Amino acid sequence: MKRYAVRTALMALALLGGGLAAATQATVATAAEVTTGDLVISGGFSRATLPNAPVGGGYLTITNKGAEADRLLSAASPVAGVVQIHQMKMEGDLMKMNELPDGVEIPAGATVTLAPGGLHIMFMQLTQPLVEGTRIPLTLTFEKAGSVEVELSVESPAAKGPAEDHSMHGG
């Protein structure tokens, strides 16, 4: 009887350990950077929206490790009827937001961050709410590096960045 209990406990630990390893690998995989050409895209996130909200925002960081500038020309996602590249900036005492129809230059050797309150991806005519804990597929099209698929994690409505990955910490 004792031998059976010990064997069952060991099997349970093995299964649990395998599950934890798989969960850790999945977390690391979703937090991975995406590379296309000389560009590295990282830190992609969005903010959860209220039901029936017509718009949402997408944020990420693009690092150009090449010797030539590239340009983010456009973005597309099945979660929105229209996806545009936008910029928010102060004009006098007024915050203005406008589309950047020519996209955003990613200078050689530089990093460009699309973040709340500045450059960002604008999801308009949302086809569904952006729900915290889910992921949004996003296709980015660059002048030189071509098109690349990334995923944005949907964080809390007040998120300032993607949730931190603590999977490598002990405890």
Side-chain angles (χ1 to χ4, degrees), residues 44-117:
F45 78 100
S46 184
R47 292 175 168 168
T49 59
L50 296 172
N52 301 318
V55 298
Y59 315 101
L60 47 84
T61 299
I62 305 166
T63 300
N64 185 345
K65 295 186 174 187
E68 293 184 14
D70 204 336
R71 180 173 290 278
L72 174 61
L73 297 173
S74 64
S77 177
V79 302
V82 175
V83 181
Q84 297 177 343
I85 302 166
H86 276 212
Q87 178 180 34
M88 291 183 76
K89 64 181 180 179
M90 291 297 292
E91 288 186 9
D93 293 338
L94 193 58
M95 179 65 82
K96 293 245 182 168
M97 181 171 53
N98 60 302
E99 179 183 11
L100 298 175
D102 297 328
V104 174
E105 183 177 24
I106 316 299
T111 296
V112 174
T113 301
L114 282 67

Side-chain angles (χ1 to χ4, degrees), residues 116-168:
L119 294 170
H120 61 279
I121 304 293
M122 191 75 187
F123 299 110
M124 299 167 23
Q125 301 170 11
L126 288 176
T127 59
Q128 63 193 53
L130 305 182
V131 179
E132 187 173 350
T134 63
R135 302 187 72 71
I136 300 170
L138 179 66
T139 302
L140 301 172
T141 301
F142 294 93
E143 188 172 65
K144 294 180 180 152
S147 293
V148 63
E149 296 281 331
V150 299
E151 283 191 329
L152 306 182
S153 62
V154 181
E155 306 296 337
S156 76
K160 293 185 180 5
E164 290 187 38
D165 178 5
H166 295 285
S167 64
M168 300 310 284

Side-chain angles (χ1 to χ4, degrees), residues 12-46:
L13 282 172
L15 288 172
L16 178 61
L20 288 174
T24 300
Q25 288 173 349
T27 301
V28 171
T30 57
E33 298 174 335
V34 175
T35 301
T36 181
D38 291 327
L39 304 178
V40 178
I41 300 141
S42 62
F45 78 100
S46 184

